[in-house]
Amino acid sequence: MQPRNYLLYDVFTRDRLAGNPLAVVLDCEGLDTAAMQAIAREFNLSESVFVLPPENPKHRARIRIFTPDYEMPFAGHPTVGAAIALAEMSEDDGAAGIFVLEENIGPVRCAVSRGDGATFAEFDLAKLPEQLELSADPVRIGAALGLAPHEIGFENHQVSFWSAGVPYVTIPVADLGVAGRIRLDNQAWSELAPRKSEWAFASPYIYCRKTVNHESAFHVRMIVPGTPSYEDPATGSAAAAFAGAIMHFDGPTDGVSQFWIEQGLEMGRPSRIRLELNVEAGKLASARIGGNAVQVAEGRLFV
């Protein structure tokens, strides 16, 4: 039995008990995959991060990301939370700096800064979003969420399917009222497309242009299918996939565009995610996800 330190952070927020909670487990040498999975199940948060020595000595750390049920190749709030936790632990740079975290998806470049009493981190997408084939009928997709056909879509935005490492079905809805009435029917959702496809790992990402906070560009919700299903208060990997929908439907001009995305308001965990797109010659050249995180607890595991 070896004591291992852990930290709890709330991510994509400046306020404690808001945003998306994350466990950051330190001192993970000697833990195998089964042990990490069991610890993640013990925390029972949407994701937990396990920090290991990097394979490349020029990088800051290797991180592995687990839900209570499986390992993720990449996820946004664990990347932001781990980057901020590691920066705040460092005595060299005072919670600031640029470094690389090794994830299953590949090396992820992170930049951490501090200002106005809060720590902010952003990371470059290791994989730009790609559009996947939408084999399911958009009307049936809406019905699985309790939506009528006329409540789906706005302007030129339509239901689409994207992945920047994790697949999401992006579903535009008319307004905040429609977004607030979303109810996922797990059985109906699971029957929409073949199980032996990326759809088996896809979650619905509902969005509208009308927002609660004036600085936000989009209001979103993300529901994770399952038994039971649950809502995620802040989803960086979904925002990364959503960059594809923004490029496809809105066509941002060349240069850098920033979008603040609000999430988690319906569940009392308000979150703010910054999505930054770098467009060159009409195409997405690079993209970044960023946000704040704040430590709420620390402790020791005896495993």
Side-chain angles (χ1 to χ4, degrees):
M1 185 172 62
Q2 176 181 338
R4 303 176 194 273
N5 295 317
Y6 71 87
L7 309 169
L8 293 182
Y9 271 77
D10 285 336
V11 185
F12 290 128
T13 180
R14 297 165 61 101
D15 302 316
R16 292 177 174 85
L17 307 183
N20 203 347
L22 173 74
V24 182
V25 183
L26 309 170
D27 315 311
C28 292
E29 295 91 334
L31 287 178
D32 60 16
T33 298
M36 293 181 192
Q37 185 65 77
I39 292 169
R41 193 172 298 117
E42 181 82 5
F43 280 118
N44 201 32
L45 299 174
S46 60
E47 280 131 1
S48 298
V49 168
F50 296 83
V51 181
L52 296 155
E55 296 176 2
N56 183 335
K58 294 182 180 180
H59 298 163
R60 176 61 64 91
R62 162 130 169 79
I63 64 170
R64 296 179 66 180
I65 302 167
F66 287 79
T67 76
D69 298 313
Y70 53 85
E71 185 171 9
M72 297 280 287
F74 150 76
H77 100 275
T79 301
V80 167
I84 288 177
L86 291 169
E88 290 184 339
M89 289 171 56
S90 172
E91 298 179 356
D92 299 330
D93 50 30
I98 298 174
F99 51 82
V100 172
L101 295 178
E102 298 170 358
E103 303 191 25
N104 286 353
I105 199 172
V108 178
R109 176 183 174 275
C110 304
V112 183
S113 59
R114 186 168 179 83
D116 298 327
T119 308
F120 181 92
E122 63 179 355
F123 62 88
D124 297 335
L125 298 192
K127 179 181 180 183
L128 292 179
E130 62 176 341
Q131 189 166 14
L132 306 177
E133 180 183 359
L134 184 68
S135 57
D137 177 15
V139 173
R140 291 184 62 204
I141 290 173
L145 294 164
L147 300 178
H150 72 275
E151 295 176 314
I152 305 169
F154 61 81
E155 301 162 9
N156 66 328
H157 284 245
Q158 301 175 0
V159 178
S160 52
F161 196 12
W162 302 88
S163 176
V166 182
Y168 292 92
V169 183
T170 56
I171 304 163
V173 297
D175 54 38
L176 290 169
V178 176
R181 294 198 302 274
I182 294 296
R183 295 293 183 273
L184 178 64
D185 182 331
N186 274 303
Q187 183 64 31
W189 183 265
S190 67
E191 294 173 352
L192 286 171
R195 293 181 182 274
K196 293 183 179 180
S197 68
E198 292 195 76
W199 187 274
F201 305 97
S203 297
Y205 187 73
I206 300 95
Y207 69 96
C208 63
R209 213 184 288 279
K210 296 181 180 179
T211 62
V212 174
N213 300 304
H214 67 85
E215 74 274 12
S216 300
F218 295 96
H219 178 93
V220 309
R221 298 180 68 183
M222 198 282 278
I223 314 295
V224 180
T227 308
S229 62
Y230 66 90
E231 184 164 0
D232 199 43
T235 320
S237 60
F242 184 47
I246 293 175
M247 284 297 303
H248 184 75
F249 295 113
D250 286 349
T253 58
D254 285 5
V256 177
S257 300
Q258 286 187 355
F259 306 89
W260 282 101
I261 298 171
E262 62 183 34
Q263 188 177 349
L265 279 77
E266 287 84 358
M267 54 189 304
R269 303 280 306 194
S271 307
R272 296 176 73 244
I273 299 172
R274 193 177 79 182
L275 173 61
E276 186 174 275
L277 307 182
N278 180 27
V279 181
E280 297 178 0
K283 296 183 178 180
L284 184 62
S286 61
R288 284 161 291 283
I289 299 289
N292 296 101
V294 58
Q295 185 180 342
V296 293
E298 61 182 351
R300 304 178 79 188
L301 287 168
F302 299 96
V303 294

